[in-house]
Amino acid sequence: MTAARDAEGQQTTRAPRLPAKLAAHPSVQAVLTRRRAGDAVNPPAVIDADWLRELCLAAGADDAAAVGLDHPDLVGEREYAQSALPGTRTLIAMAVRMNRDNCRSPARSVANQEFHQADEQANHAARTVTRALQDAGYRALNPSVGFPQEMDRFPSERIWVVAHKTVAVAAGLGVMGLHRNVIHPKFGSFVLLVTVLVDAEVSEYGQALDYNPCIDCKLCVAACPVGAIAKDGAFDALACTTHNYREFMSGFTDWAQTVADSEDAADYRSRVTDSESASMWQSLSSPPGYKSGYCVAVCPAGEDVLGPYLDDRRTFMDTVLRPLQDKKETLYVLPGSHAQEYARRRFPHKPVKEVTGGWQPPAKRSTSSDRETRTS
């Protein structure tokens, strides 16, 4: 469209110059007719923050706030956001609550179902918000909460489009806890996060919290079965991913390498238990299972969560922490790692299994003829 001025000096909009064939097309004529009638969608240059928040809550989010892409804490996100949606100016962070006792269950099927259903709700909410923004005349995009991600980038660069935790903290939805999960001031650690990108500014942006909802109880340290969380704040990401994500990307790679390296069914079954095979099949046929979300499960932080811990800390630990600590389960660790030493020392009743984690292929095994030669 081009701008012109009428006889009174008011700015008007006149139709663009189009090739005759294009201008004669029925769809083009319909669009131009709507524009001349004033029916075209002309969104405000700045999105009203109250309208946006109500939109997010109505879509299924339990909390929401916006943050400008120029926020100093989002320097590392700008390139990726602009690549995903050129012209991005604002990131909308949304939080969806999870049911606490589902997450706390020692039965992984219960906890994992809660994680994945909340994933679906968050993705649905973000898609609904994106659709509403689009219908209002803006360009908007909602990256996935988690998987699927950009596997064509692996392993040379990060595979996620937007770092939801970083955005949520910058928008004021919470603070990163010792366990490397965002703690919401009201809902605590029991939230999943999602982000919507939009090509407009918002009338009011969220402000970072001026306090940390973490109460420094260190229960996440006590609950982690592979010692990934240290009391001093250190975090062993490799130990966490090796065990917790055993049936996600890296663990599947390790399992596939084991299958390829096995000589026959008997050899495979000597390396992989029936339970492990069944669990891997389940994760391949449905959403993959987390081996341990215990750091989230035991966290008492958040105004809606804190009461039972304050009322009776001993009972809280007996009913929330102890069942996870006492559960007999296989712990997956890298050979010679701190996680291996920690797991054996701290949880002697939990079997420990060495894996490569899929980060590199295992050393090539000798052939059966080589072994026969050595043992004959």
Side-chain angles (χ1 to χ4, degrees), residues 103-108 223 225 293-295 297-298 319-329 347 349-350:
C103 296
R104 290 168 173 167
S105 174
R108 297 313 303 154
Y294 300 169
C295 56
V298 302
T319 58
V320 177
L321 175 64
R322 303 285 182 229
L324 301 176
Q325 290 180 320
D326 294 343
K327 180 181 179 180
K328 185 176 180 180
E329 60 187 327
F347 299 103
H349 60 290
K350 295 178 185 277

mmCIF file with all atom_site columns, all heavy atoms in Angstrom, residues 103-108 223 225 293-295 297-298 319-329 347 349-350:
data_model
loop_
_atom_site.group_PDB
_atom_site.id
_atom_site.type_symbol
_atom_site.label_atom_id
_atom_site.label_alt_id
_atom_site.label_comp_id
_atom_site.label_asym_id
_atom_site.label_entity_id
_atom_site.label_seq_id
_atom_site.pdbx_PDB_ins_code
_atom_site.Cartn_x
_atom_site.Cartn_y
_atom_site.Cartn_z
_atom_site.occupancy
_atom_site.B_iso_or_equiv
_atom_site.pdbx_formal_charge
_atom_site.auth_seq_id
_atom_site.auth_comp_id
_atom_site.auth_asym_id
_atom_site.auth_atom_id
_atom_site.pdbx_PDB_model_num
ATOM 1   N N   . CYS A 1 103 ? 3.463  -35.661 40.432 1.00 0.00 ? 103 CYS A N   1
ATOM 2   C CA  . CYS A 1 103 ? 4.909  -35.501 40.226 1.00 0.00 ? 103 CYS A CA  1
ATOM 3   C C   . CYS A 1 103 ? 5.716  -36.192 41.314 1.00 0.00 ? 103 CYS A C   1
ATOM 4   O O   . CYS A 1 103 ? 6.843  -36.634 41.077 1.00 0.00 ? 103 CYS A O   1
ATOM 5   C CB  . CYS A 1 103 ? 5.279  -34.022 40.188 1.00 0.00 ? 103 CYS A CB  1
ATOM 6   S SG  . CYS A 1 103 ? 4.559  -33.098 38.813 1.00 0.00 ? 103 CYS A SG  1
ATOM 7   N N   . ARG A 1 104 ? 5.148  -36.299 42.513 1.00 0.00 ? 104 ARG A N   1
ATOM 8   C CA  . ARG A 1 104 ? 5.868  -36.868 43.648 1.00 0.00 ? 104 ARG A CA  1
ATOM 9   C C   . ARG A 1 104 ? 5.809  -38.391 43.703 1.00 0.00 ? 104 ARG A C   1
ATOM 10  O O   . ARG A 1 104 ? 6.530  -39.010 44.480 1.00 0.00 ? 104 ARG A O   1
ATOM 11  C CB  . ARG A 1 104 ? 5.287  -36.303 44.950 1.00 0.00 ? 104 ARG A CB  1
ATOM 12  C CG  . ARG A 1 104 ? 5.592  -34.839 45.162 1.00 0.00 ? 104 ARG A CG  1
ATOM 13  C CD  . ARG A 1 104 ? 4.767  -34.265 46.292 1.00 0.00 ? 104 ARG A CD  1
ATOM 14  N NE  . ARG A 1 104 ? 5.160  -32.890 46.622 1.00 0.00 ? 104 ARG A NE  1
ATOM 15  C CZ  . ARG A 1 104 ? 4.454  -32.075 47.377 1.00 0.00 ? 104 ARG A CZ  1
ATOM 16  N NH1 . ARG A 1 104 ? 3.284  -32.482 47.879 1.00 0.00 ? 104 ARG A NH1 1
ATOM 17  N NH2 . ARG A 1 104 ? 4.887  -30.853 47.620 1.00 0.00 ? 104 ARG A NH2 1
ATOM 18  N N   . SER A 1 105 ? 4.986  -39.000 42.900 1.00 0.00 ? 105 SER A N   1
ATOM 19  C CA  . SER A 1 105 ? 4.799  -40.438 42.975 1.00 0.00 ? 105 SER A CA  1
ATOM 20  C C   . SER A 1 105 ? 6.068  -41.204 42.597 1.00 0.00 ? 105 SER A C   1
ATOM 21  O O   . SER A 1 105 ? 6.706  -40.898 41.587 1.00 0.00 ? 105 SER A O   1
ATOM 22  C CB  . SER A 1 105 ? 3.661  -40.874 42.050 1.00 0.00 ? 105 SER A CB  1
ATOM 23  O OG  . SER A 1 105 ? 3.556  -42.277 42.019 1.00 0.00 ? 105 SER A OG  1
ATOM 24  N N   . PRO A 1 106 ? 6.433  -42.238 43.379 1.00 0.00 ? 106 PRO A N   1
ATOM 25  C CA  . PRO A 1 106 ? 7.555  -43.091 42.986 1.00 0.00 ? 106 PRO A CA  1
ATOM 26  C C   . PRO A 1 106 ? 7.258  -43.886 41.714 1.00 0.00 ? 106 PRO A C   1
ATOM 27  O O   . PRO A 1 106 ? 8.185  -44.349 41.051 1.00 0.00 ? 106 PRO A O   1
ATOM 28  C CB  . PRO A 1 106 ? 7.727  -44.033 44.188 1.00 0.00 ? 106 PRO A CB  1
ATOM 29  C CG  . PRO A 1 106 ? 7.085  -43.318 45.336 1.00 0.00 ? 106 PRO A CG  1
ATOM 30  C CD  . PRO A 1 106 ? 5.936  -42.567 44.733 1.00 0.00 ? 106 PRO A CD  1
ATOM 31  N N   . ALA A 1 107 ? 5.971  -44.042 41.374 1.00 0.00 ? 107 ALA A N   1
ATOM 32  C CA  . ALA A 1 107 ? 5.600  -44.717 40.127 1.00 0.00 ? 107 ALA A CA  1
ATOM 33  C C   . ALA A 1 107 ? 5.893  -43.781 38.969 1.00 0.00 ? 107 ALA A C   1
ATOM 34  O O   . ALA A 1 107 ? 5.208  -42.771 38.791 1.00 0.00 ? 107 ALA A O   1
ATOM 35  C CB  . ALA A 1 107 ? 4.128  -45.116 40.157 1.00 0.00 ? 107 ALA A CB  1
ATOM 36  N N   . ARG A 1 108 ? 6.880  -44.101 38.164 1.00 0.00 ? 108 ARG A N   1
ATOM 37  C CA  . ARG A 1 108 ? 7.299  -43.194 37.106 1.00 0.00 ? 108 ARG A CA  1
ATOM 38  C C   . ARG A 1 108 ? 6.198  -42.983 36.082 1.00 0.00 ? 108 ARG A C   1
ATOM 39  O O   . ARG A 1 108 ? 6.125  -41.923 35.439 1.00 0.00 ? 108 ARG A O   1
ATOM 40  C CB  . ARG A 1 108 ? 8.561  -43.727 36.409 1.00 0.00 ? 108 ARG A CB  1
ATOM 41  C CG  . ARG A 1 108 ? 9.786  -43.825 37.302 1.00 0.00 ? 108 ARG A CG  1
ATOM 42  C CD  . ARG A 1 108 ? 10.022 -42.590 38.136 1.00 0.00 ? 108 ARG A CD  1
ATOM 43  N NE  . ARG A 1 108 ? 10.160 -41.375 37.358 1.00 0.00 ? 108 ARG A NE  1
ATOM 44  C CZ  . ARG A 1 108 ? 9.886  -40.153 37.815 1.00 0.00 ? 108 ARG A CZ  1
ATOM 45  N NH1 . ARG A 1 108 ? 9.441  -39.984 39.045 1.00 0.00 ? 108 ARG A NH1 1
ATOM 46  N NH2 . ARG A 1 108 ? 10.058 -39.111 37.047 1.00 0.00 ? 108 ARG A NH2 1
ATOM 47  N N   . ALA A 1 223 ? 17.518 -35.561 47.304 1.00 0.00 ? 223 ALA A N   1
ATOM 48  C CA  . ALA A 1 223 ? 16.690 -36.450 46.488 1.00 0.00 ? 223 ALA A CA  1
ATOM 49  C C   . ALA A 1 223 ? 17.393 -36.936 45.226 1.00 0.00 ? 223 ALA A C   1
ATOM 50  O O   . ALA A 1 223 ? 17.079 -38.023 44.735 1.00 0.00 ? 223 ALA A O   1
ATOM 51  C CB  . ALA A 1 223 ? 15.399 -35.735 46.097 1.00 0.00 ? 223 ALA A CB  1
ATOM 52  N N   . PRO A 1 225 ? 19.397 -38.856 42.821 1.00 0.00 ? 225 PRO A N   1
ATOM 53  C CA  . PRO A 1 225 ? 20.055 -40.156 43.027 1.00 0.00 ? 225 PRO A CA  1
ATOM 54  C C   . PRO A 1 225 ? 21.458 -40.252 42.448 1.00 0.00 ? 225 PRO A C   1
ATOM 55  O O   . PRO A 1 225 ? 22.177 -41.204 42.732 1.00 0.00 ? 225 PRO A O   1
ATOM 56  C CB  . PRO A 1 225 ? 19.103 -41.138 42.328 1.00 0.00 ? 225 PRO A CB  1
ATOM 57  C CG  . PRO A 1 225 ? 18.454 -40.318 41.257 1.00 0.00 ? 225 PRO A CG  1
ATOM 58  C CD  . PRO A 1 225 ? 18.316 -38.939 41.827 1.00 0.00 ? 225 PRO A CD  1
ATOM 59  N N   . GLY A 1 293 ? 12.457 -37.119 38.236 1.00 0.00 ? 293 GLY A N   1
ATOM 60  C CA  . GLY A 1 293 ? 12.133 -35.701 38.360 1.00 0.00 ? 293 GLY A CA  1
ATOM 61  C C   . GLY A 1 293 ? 12.076 -35.363 39.833 1.00 0.00 ? 293 GLY A C   1
ATOM 62  O O   . GLY A 1 293 ? 11.301 -34.511 40.269 1.00 0.00 ? 293 GLY A O   1
ATOM 63  N N   . TYR A 1 294 ? 12.925 -36.039 40.620 1.00 0.00 ? 294 TYR A N   1
ATOM 64  C CA  . TYR A 1 294 ? 12.835 -35.970 42.078 1.00 0.00 ? 294 TYR A CA  1
ATOM 65  C C   . TYR A 1 294 ? 13.139 -34.585 42.625 1.00 0.00 ? 294 TYR A C   1
ATOM 66  O O   . TYR A 1 294 ? 12.616 -34.193 43.677 1.00 0.00 ? 294 TYR A O   1
ATOM 67  C CB  . TYR A 1 294 ? 13.779 -36.985 42.718 1.00 0.00 ? 294 TYR A CB  1
ATOM 68  C CG  . TYR A 1 294 ? 13.517 -38.424 42.342 1.00 0.00 ? 294 TYR A CG  1
ATOM 69  C CD1 . TYR A 1 294 ? 14.421 -39.433 42.664 1.00 0.00 ? 294 TYR A CD1 1
ATOM 70  C CD2 . TYR A 1 294 ? 12.350 -38.796 41.662 1.00 0.00 ? 294 TYR A CD2 1
ATOM 71  C CE1 . TYR A 1 294 ? 14.178 -40.751 42.325 1.00 0.00 ? 294 TYR A CE1 1
ATOM 72  C CE2 . TYR A 1 294 ? 12.105 -40.110 41.322 1.00 0.00 ? 294 TYR A CE2 1
ATOM 73  C CZ  . TYR A 1 294 ? 13.023 -41.094 41.655 1.00 0.00 ? 294 TYR A CZ  1
ATOM 74  O OH  . TYR A 1 294 ? 12.781 -42.396 41.311 1.00 0.00 ? 294 TYR A OH  1
ATOM 75  N N   . CYS A 1 295 ? 13.991 -33.834 41.942 1.00 0.00 ? 295 CYS A N   1
ATOM 76  C CA  . CYS A 1 295 ? 14.332 -32.493 42.415 1.00 0.00 ? 295 CYS A CA  1
ATOM 77  C C   . CYS A 1 295 ? 13.106 -31.594 42.425 1.00 0.00 ? 295 CYS A C   1
ATOM 78  O O   . CYS A 1 295 ? 12.937 -30.761 43.317 1.00 0.00 ? 295 CYS A O   1
ATOM 79  C CB  . CYS A 1 295 ? 15.449 -31.896 41.576 1.00 0.00 ? 295 CYS A CB  1
ATOM 80  S SG  . CYS A 1 295 ? 15.093 -31.849 39.810 1.00 0.00 ? 295 CYS A SG  1
ATOM 81  N N   . ALA A 1 297 ? 9.945  -32.910 42.508 1.00 0.00 ? 297 ALA A N   1
ATOM 82  C CA  . ALA A 1 297 ? 8.972  -33.573 43.385 1.00 0.00 ? 297 ALA A CA  1
ATOM 83  C C   . ALA A 1 297 ? 9.090  -33.151 44.845 1.00 0.00 ? 297 ALA A C   1
ATOM 84  O O   . ALA A 1 297 ? 8.078  -32.958 45.528 1.00 0.00 ? 297 ALA A O   1
ATOM 85  C CB  . ALA A 1 297 ? 9.129  -35.088 43.266 1.00 0.00 ? 297 ALA A CB  1
ATOM 86  N N   . VAL A 1 298 ? 10.307 -32.996 45.330 1.00 0.00 ? 298 VAL A N   1
ATOM 87  C CA  . VAL A 1 298 ? 10.497 -32.736 46.758 1.00 0.00 ? 298 VAL A CA  1
ATOM 88  C C   . VAL A 1 298 ? 10.543 -31.255 47.102 1.00 0.00 ? 298 VAL A C   1
ATOM 89  O O   . VAL A 1 298 ? 10.564 -30.898 48.290 1.00 0.00 ? 298 VAL A O   1
ATOM 90  C CB  . VAL A 1 298 ? 11.788 -33.418 47.279 1.00 0.00 ? 298 VAL A CB  1
ATOM 91  C CG1 . VAL A 1 298 ? 11.740 -34.916 47.037 1.00 0.00 ? 298 VAL A CG1 1
ATOM 92  C CG2 . VAL A 1 298 ? 13.037 -32.802 46.624 1.00 0.00 ? 298 VAL A CG2 1
ATOM 93  N N   . THR A 1 319 ? 6.960  -38.610 53.853 1.00 0.00 ? 319 THR A N   1
ATOM 94  C CA  . THR A 1 319 ? 5.948  -38.930 52.841 1.00 0.00 ? 319 THR A CA  1
ATOM 95  C C   . THR A 1 319 ? 6.331  -38.484 51.430 1.00 0.00 ? 319 THR A C   1
ATOM 96  O O   . THR A 1 319 ? 5.797  -39.022 50.458 1.00 0.00 ? 319 THR A O   1
ATOM 97  C CB  . THR A 1 319 ? 4.595  -38.281 53.199 1.00 0.00 ? 319 THR A CB  1
ATOM 98  O OG1 . THR A 1 319 ? 4.773  -36.860 53.311 1.00 0.00 ? 319 THR A OG1 1
ATOM 99  C CG2 . THR A 1 319 ? 4.067  -38.837 54.514 1.00 0.00 ? 319 THR A CG2 1
ATOM 100 N N   . VAL A 1 320 ? 7.247  -37.535 51.309 1.00 0.00 ? 320 VAL A N   1
ATOM 101 C CA  . VAL A 1 320 ? 7.625  -37.022 49.988 1.00 0.00 ? 320 VAL A CA  1
ATOM 102 C C   . VAL A 1 320 ? 9.044  -37.428 49.605 1.00 0.00 ? 320 VAL A C   1
ATOM 103 O O   . VAL A 1 320 ? 9.275  -37.957 48.507 1.00 0.00 ? 320 VAL A O   1
ATOM 104 C CB  . VAL A 1 320 ? 7.483  -35.483 49.934 1.00 0.00 ? 320 VAL A CB  1
ATOM 105 C CG1 . VAL A 1 320 ? 7.953  -34.942 48.578 1.00 0.00 ? 320 VAL A CG1 1
ATOM 106 C CG2 . VAL A 1 320 ? 6.040  -35.074 50.183 1.00 0.00 ? 320 VAL A CG2 1
ATOM 107 N N   . LEU A 1 321 ? 9.999  -37.193 50.502 1.00 0.00 ? 321 LEU A N   1
ATOM 108 C CA  . LEU A 1 321 ? 11.401 -37.470 50.181 1.00 0.00 ? 321 LEU A CA  1
ATOM 109 C C   . LEU A 1 321 ? 11.758 -38.946 50.302 1.00 0.00 ? 321 LEU A C   1
ATOM 110 O O   . LEU A 1 321 ? 12.352 -39.530 49.386 1.00 0.00 ? 321 LEU A O   1
ATOM 111 C CB  . LEU A 1 321 ? 12.308 -36.636 51.092 1.00 0.00 ? 321 LEU A CB  1
ATOM 112 C CG  . LEU A 1 321 ? 13.814 -36.899 50.976 1.00 0.00 ? 321 LEU A CG  1
ATOM 113 C CD1 . LEU A 1 321 ? 14.324 -36.529 49.586 1.00 0.00 ? 321 LEU A CD1 1
ATOM 114 C CD2 . LEU A 1 321 ? 14.587 -36.132 52.047 1.00 0.00 ? 321 LEU A CD2 1
ATOM 115 N N   . ARG A 1 322 ? 11.437 -39.581 51.427 1.00 0.00 ? 322 ARG A N   1
ATOM 116 C CA  . ARG A 1 322 ? 11.888 -40.955 51.699 1.00 0.00 ? 322 ARG A CA  1
ATOM 117 C C   . ARG A 1 322 ? 11.442 -41.979 50.655 1.00 0.00 ? 322 ARG A C   1
ATOM 118 O O   . ARG A 1 322 ? 12.244 -42.828 50.251 1.00 0.00 ? 322 ARG A O   1
ATOM 119 C CB  . ARG A 1 322 ? 11.411 -41.423 53.072 1.00 0.00 ? 322 ARG A CB  1
ATOM 120 C CG  . ARG A 1 322 ? 11.840 -40.546 54.224 1.00 0.00 ? 322 ARG A CG  1
ATOM 121 C CD  . ARG A 1 322 ? 13.303 -40.712 54.573 1.00 0.00 ? 322 ARG A CD  1
ATOM 122 N NE  . ARG A 1 322 ? 13.619 -39.867 55.728 1.00 0.00 ? 322 ARG A NE  1
ATOM 123 C CZ  . ARG A 1 322 ? 14.644 -39.051 55.803 1.00 0.00 ? 322 ARG A CZ  1
ATOM 124 N NH1 . ARG A 1 322 ? 15.484 -38.965 54.783 1.00 0.00 ? 322 ARG A NH1 1
ATOM 125 N NH2 . ARG A 1 322 ? 14.862 -38.328 56.880 1.00 0.00 ? 322 ARG A NH2 1
ATOM 126 N N   . PRO A 1 323 ? 10.180 -41.933 50.190 1.00 0.00 ? 323 PRO A N   1
ATOM 127 C CA  . PRO A 1 323 ? 9.786  -42.934 49.189 1.00 0.00 ? 323 PRO A CA  1
ATOM 128 C C   . PRO A 1 323 ? 10.646 -42.886 47.928 1.00 0.00 ? 323 PRO A C   1
ATOM 129 O O   . PRO A 1 323 ? 10.889 -43.928 47.303 1.00 0.00 ? 323 PRO A O   1
ATOM 130 C CB  . PRO A 1 323 ? 8.328  -42.570 48.889 1.00 0.00 ? 323 PRO A CB  1
ATOM 131 C CG  . PRO A 1 323 ? 7.843  -41.900 50.129 1.00 0.00 ? 323 PRO A CG  1
ATOM 132 C CD  . PRO A 1 323 ? 9.019  -41.115 50.622 1.00 0.00 ? 323 PRO A CD  1
ATOM 133 N N   . LEU A 1 324 ? 11.108 -41.705 47.545 1.00 0.00 ? 324 LEU A N   1
ATOM 134 C CA  . LEU A 1 324 ? 11.953 -41.584 46.361 1.00 0.00 ? 324 LEU A CA  1
ATOM 135 C C   . LEU A 1 324 ? 13.373 -42.061 46.657 1.00 0.00 ? 324 LEU A C   1
ATOM 136 O O   . LEU A 1 324 ? 14.009 -42.692 45.812 1.00 0.00 ? 324 LEU A O   1
ATOM 137 C CB  . LEU A 1 324 ? 11.964 -40.131 45.880 1.00 0.00 ? 324 LEU A CB  1
ATOM 138 C CG  . LEU A 1 324 ? 10.595 -39.563 45.513 1.00 0.00 ? 324 LEU A CG  1
ATOM 139 C CD1 . LEU A 1 324 ? 10.718 -38.084 45.148 1.00 0.00 ? 324 LEU A CD1 1
ATOM 140 C CD2 . LEU A 1 324 ? 9.973  -40.338 44.363 1.00 0.00 ? 324 LEU A CD2 1
ATOM 141 N N   . GLN A 1 325 ? 13.856 -41.748 47.846 1.00 0.00 ? 325 GLN A N   1
ATOM 142 C CA  . GLN A 1 325 ? 15.185 -42.224 48.227 1.00 0.00 ? 325 GLN A CA  1
ATOM 143 C C   . GLN A 1 325 ? 15.210 -43.746 48.384 1.00 0.00 ? 325 GLN A C   1
ATOM 144 O O   . GLN A 1 325 ? 16.200 -44.399 48.034 1.00 0.00 ? 325 GLN A O   1
ATOM 145 C CB  . GLN A 1 325 ? 15.624 -41.572 49.548 1.00 0.00 ? 325 GLN A CB  1
ATOM 146 C CG  . GLN A 1 325 ? 15.927 -40.092 49.448 1.00 0.00 ? 325 GLN A CG  1
ATOM 147 C CD  . GLN A 1 325 ? 16.348 -39.518 50.791 1.00 0.00 ? 325 GLN A CD  1
ATOM 148 O OE1 . GLN A 1 325 ? 15.793 -39.857 51.831 1.00 0.00 ? 325 GLN A OE1 1
ATOM 149 N NE2 . GLN A 1 325 ? 17.331 -38.632 50.768 1.00 0.00 ? 325 GLN A NE2 1
ATOM 150 N N   . ASP A 1 326 ? 14.137 -44.321 48.908 1.00 0.00 ? 326 ASP A N   1
ATOM 151 C CA  . ASP A 1 326 ? 14.114 -45.751 49.203 1.00 0.00 ? 326 ASP A CA  1
ATOM 152 C C   . ASP A 1 326 ? 13.794 -46.614 47.990 1.00 0.00 ? 326 ASP A C   1
ATOM 153 O O   . ASP A 1 326 ? 13.993 -47.833 48.020 1.00 0.00 ? 326 ASP A O   1
ATOM 154 C CB  . ASP A 1 326 ? 13.073 -46.046 50.301 1.00 0.00 ? 326 ASP A CB  1
ATOM 155 C CG  . ASP A 1 326 ? 13.448 -45.435 51.641 1.00 0.00 ? 326 ASP A CG  1
ATOM 156 O OD1 . ASP A 1 326 ? 14.627 -45.070 51.810 1.00 0.00 ? 326 ASP A OD1 1
ATOM 157 O OD2 . ASP A 1 326 ? 12.566 -45.312 52.514 1.00 0.00 ? 326 ASP A OD2 1
ATOM 158 N N   . LYS A 1 327 ? 13.285 -46.032 46.944 1.00 0.00 ? 327 LYS A N   1
ATOM 159 C CA  . LYS A 1 327 ? 12.883 -46.809 45.772 1.00 0.00 ? 327 LYS A CA  1
ATOM 160 C C   . LYS A 1 327 ? 14.078 -47.552 45.177 1.00 0.00 ? 327 LYS A C   1
ATOM 161 O O   . LYS A 1 327 ? 15.150 -46.986 44.986 1.00 0.00 ? 327 LYS A O   1
ATOM 162 C CB  . LYS A 1 327 ? 12.271 -45.896 44.706 1.00 0.00 ? 327 LYS A CB  1
ATOM 163 C CG  . LYS A 1 327 ? 11.833 -46.650 43.463 1.00 0.00 ? 327 LYS A CG  1
ATOM 164 C CD  . LYS A 1 327 ? 11.250 -45.734 42.411 1.00 0.00 ? 327 LYS A CD  1
ATOM 165 C CE  . LYS A 1 327 ? 10.851 -46.541 41.168 1.00 0.00 ? 327 LYS A CE  1
ATOM 166 N NZ  . LYS A 1 327 ? 10.271 -45.698 40.118 1.00 0.00 ? 327 LYS A NZ  1
ATOM 167 N N   . LYS A 1 328 ? 13.881 -48.837 44.888 1.00 0.00 ? 328 LYS A N   1
ATOM 168 C CA  . LYS A 1 328 ? 14.918 -49.617 44.221 1.00 0.00 ? 328 LYS A CA  1
ATOM 169 C C   . LYS A 1 328 ? 14.773 -49.405 42.724 1.00 0.00 ? 328 LYS A C   1
ATOM 170 O O   . LYS A 1 328 ? 13.737 -49.724 42.136 1.00 0.00 ? 328 LYS A O   1
ATOM 171 C CB  . LYS A 1 328 ? 14.787 -51.100 44.557 1.00 0.00 ? 328 LYS A CB  1
ATOM 172 C CG  . LYS A 1 328 ? 15.931 -51.945 43.989 1.00 0.00 ? 328 LYS A CG  1
ATOM 173 C CD  . LYS A 1 328 ? 15.834 -53.396 44.415 1.00 0.00 ? 328 LYS A CD  1
ATOM 174 C CE  . LYS A 1 328 ? 16.983 -54.206 43.823 1.00 0.00 ? 328 LYS A CE  1
ATOM 175 N NZ  . LYS A 1 328 ? 16.919 -55.639 44.229 1.00 0.00 ? 328 LYS A NZ  1
ATOM 176 N N   . GLU A 1 329 ? 15.786 -48.856 42.110 1.00 0.00 ? 329 GLU A N   1
ATOM 177 C CA  . GLU A 1 329 ? 15.746 -48.530 40.688 1.00 0.00 ? 329 GLU A CA  1
ATOM 178 C C   . GLU A 1 329 ? 17.155 -48.479 40.149 1.00 0.00 ? 329 GLU A C   1
ATOM 179 O O   . GLU A 1 329 ? 18.113 -48.222 40.888 1.00 0.00 ? 329 GLU A O   1
ATOM 180 C CB  . GLU A 1 329 ? 15.077 -47.158 40.494 1.00 0.00 ? 329 GLU A CB  1
ATOM 181 C CG  . GLU A 1 329 ? 15.821 -46.047 41.212 1.00 0.00 ? 329 GLU A CG  1
ATOM 182 C CD  . GLU A 1 329 ? 15.101 -44.702 41.186 1.00 0.00 ? 329 GLU A CD  1
ATOM 183 O OE1 . GLU A 1 329 ? 14.432 -44.436 40.186 1.00 0.00 ? 329 GLU A OE1 1
ATOM 184 O OE2 . GLU A 1 329 ? 15.224 -43.952 42.172 1.00 0.00 ? 329 GLU A OE2 1
ATOM 185 N N   . PHE A 1 347 ? 23.358 -44.429 47.775 1.00 0.00 ? 347 PHE A N   1
ATOM 186 C CA  . PHE A 1 347 ? 22.185 -45.285 47.556 1.00 0.00 ? 347 PHE A CA  1
ATOM 187 C C   . PHE A 1 347 ? 22.619 -46.710 47.221 1.00 0.00 ? 347 PHE A C   1
ATOM 188 O O   . PHE A 1 347 ? 22.424 -47.186 46.095 1.00 0.00 ? 347 PHE A O   1
ATOM 189 C CB  . PHE A 1 347 ? 21.320 -44.713 46.426 1.00 0.00 ? 347 PHE A CB  1
ATOM 190 C CG  . PHE A 1 347 ? 20.793 -43.336 46.705 1.00 0.00 ? 347 PHE A CG  1
ATOM 191 C CD1 . PHE A 1 347 ? 21.358 -42.216 46.105 1.00 0.00 ? 347 PHE A CD1 1
ATOM 192 C CD2 . PHE A 1 347 ? 19.730 -43.149 47.581 1.00 0.00 ? 347 PHE A CD2 1
ATOM 193 C CE1 . PHE A 1 347 ? 20.874 -40.944 46.362 1.00 0.00 ? 347 PHE A CE1 1
ATOM 194 C CE2 . PHE A 1 347 ? 19.233 -41.868 47.845 1.00 0.00 ? 347 PHE A CE2 1
ATOM 195 C CZ  . PHE A 1 347 ? 19.807 -40.768 47.242 1.00 0.00 ? 347 PHE A CZ  1
ATOM 196 N N   . HIS A 1 349 ? 21.382 -49.469 47.817 1.00 0.00 ? 349 HIS A N   1
ATOM 197 C CA  . HIS A 1 349 ? 20.295 -50.382 47.462 1.00 0.00 ? 349 HIS A CA  1
ATOM 198 C C   . HIS A 1 349 ? 19.795 -50.176 46.030 1.00 0.00 ? 349 HIS A C   1
ATOM 199 O O   . HIS A 1 349 ? 18.966 -50.956 45.544 1.00 0.00 ? 349 HIS A O   1
ATOM 200 C CB  . HIS A 1 349 ? 19.116 -50.189 48.416 1.00 0.00 ? 349 HIS A CB  1
ATOM 201 C CG  . HIS A 1 349 ? 18.549 -48.802 48.410 1.00 0.00 ? 349 HIS A CG  1
ATOM 202 N ND1 . HIS A 1 349 ? 19.229 -47.715 48.942 1.00 0.00 ? 349 HIS A ND1 1
ATOM 203 C CD2 . HIS A 1 349 ? 17.385 -48.302 47.904 1.00 0.00 ? 349 HIS A CD2 1
ATOM 204 C CE1 . HIS A 1 349 ? 18.491 -46.623 48.773 1.00 0.00 ? 349 HIS A CE1 1
ATOM 205 N NE2 . HIS A 1 349 ? 17.376 -46.955 48.153 1.00 0.00 ? 349 HIS A NE2 1
ATOM 206 N N   . LYS A 1 350 ? 20.312 -49.166 45.347 1.00 0.00 ? 350 LYS A N   1
ATOM 207 C CA  . LYS A 1 350 ? 19.907 -48.906 43.964 1.00 0.00 ? 350 LYS A CA  1
ATOM 208 C C   . LYS A 1 350 ? 20.997 -49.431 43.023 1.00 0.00 ? 350 LYS A C   1
ATOM 209 O O   . LYS A 1 350 ? 22.140 -48.972 43.099 1.00 0.00 ? 350 LYS A O   1
ATOM 210 C CB  . LYS A 1 350 ? 19.709 -47.397 43.726 1.00 0.00 ? 350 LYS A CB  1
ATOM 211 C CG  . LYS A 1 350 ? 18.570 -46.766 44.528 1.00 0.00 ? 350 LYS A CG  1
ATOM 212 C CD  . LYS A 1 350 ? 18.481 -45.263 44.256 1.00 0.00 ? 350 LYS A CD  1
ATOM 213 C CE  . LYS A 1 350 ? 17.447 -44.574 45.126 1.00 0.00 ? 350 LYS A CE  1
ATOM 214 N NZ  . LYS A 1 350 ? 16.081 -44.678 44.606 1.00 0.00 ? 350 LYS A NZ  1
#
